Amino acid sequence: RLHRQGLAALHIGVESGSDSILEARKKGITSAQILDGLWRLDKAGIDYYLTIIPGLGGRTFSRMHAVETARLLNQVHPRNIWCLKLKLWEDTKLYKEAQNGMFDEMTPAEILAEERLLLQNLTVTDCLFEDTTVLDQFTIQGMLPAQKEELLQAMAYLLSLQAM
């Protein structure tokens, strides 16, 4: 009905494909519910642009966050995947957890490494992948799968500069 009334696209903050991270961050939704909603949009012919947040699992769950988010994204058809920098806002639960040592916030280089792992595991097609917050100073973007290797090389290069 929404499509018939003119809705053509939505921007959706998926944030993570990991049930453990979604639960820990109190998002109130599971990966299965996210998939169901996105599949319904596919069926209705409504495009969607997804935001994910590298670093949301902290250092401890970085690998799980990357792999499980890629797993979720590979099951749907996003027009765009936008990686948005994790920001810890004062007076939030996550900020307080970080202050108390219960959330191990990642450095910009660690977040880029996580994002690179996510990209390595992505198999989406006809999708713009972008991050406007790389290392707090760069933007990367490219179409998947055509520019996947270029994106991976750019990330590897930026990470090598951080190691110097």
Side-chain angles (χ1 to χ4, degrees):
R1 189 169 83 206
L2 290 172
H3 187 259
R4 285 192 308 270
Q5 293 182 1
L7 181 67
L10 290 170
H11 186 118
I12 301 167
V14 169
E15 300 183 11
S16 180
S18 167
D19 284 328
S20 298
I21 293 169
L22 291 168
E23 182 179 340
R25 301 285 70 88
K26 307 265 189 265
K27 294 301 177 181
I29 194 166
T30 66
S31 62
Q33 291 169 318
I34 292 169
L35 283 172
D36 182 59
L38 296 175
W39 289 335
R40 287 172 187 243
L41 292 174
D42 282 337
K43 187 176 178 182
I46 297 173
D47 288 337
Y48 45 90
Y49 302 78
L50 305 179
T51 300
I52 60 166
I53 303 178
L56 191 59
R59 239 177 236 108
T60 304
F61 300 107
S62 176
R63 181 171 183 74
M64 179 179 72
H65 179 45
V67 171
E68 291 185 8
T69 300
R71 176 196 48 79
L72 180 140
L73 295 172
N74 288 337
Q75 296 179 67
V76 295
H77 305 96
R79 302 295 291 157
N80 176 278
I81 297 168
W82 180 31
C83 298
L84 183 62
K85 180 183 177 181
L86 176 65
K87 167 78 171 141
L88 299 184
W89 297 96
E90 285 189 46
D91 297 324
T92 63
K93 183 178 181 210
L94 187 55
Y95 179 86
K96 291 172 187 168
E97 286 178 13
Q99 295 300 306
N100 294 326
M102 298 173 63
F103 177 78
D104 47 349
E105 188 176 6
M106 298 167 66
T107 67
E110 290 170 327
I111 289 173
L112 180 56
E114 177 184 296
E115 189 174 322
R116 189 169 190 274
L117 177 61
L118 172 113
L119 182 58
Q120 287 171 326
N121 284 277
L122 279 178
T123 59
V124 296
T125 58
D126 194 28
C127 177
L128 178 64
F129 181 90
E130 63 184 318
D131 186 339
T132 56
T133 60
V134 176
L135 301 174
D136 296 329
Q137 58 184 330
F138 300 106
T139 294
I140 58 167
Q141 65 180 27
M143 287 300 294
L144 298 178
Q147 295 177 302
K148 180 176 179 175
E149 199 53 46
E150 291 172 57
L151 289 167
L152 289 170
Q153 288 174 9
M155 290 174 170
Y157 174 73
L158 291 171
L159 286 168
S160 74
L161 293 178
Q162 294 299 299
M164 293 181 165

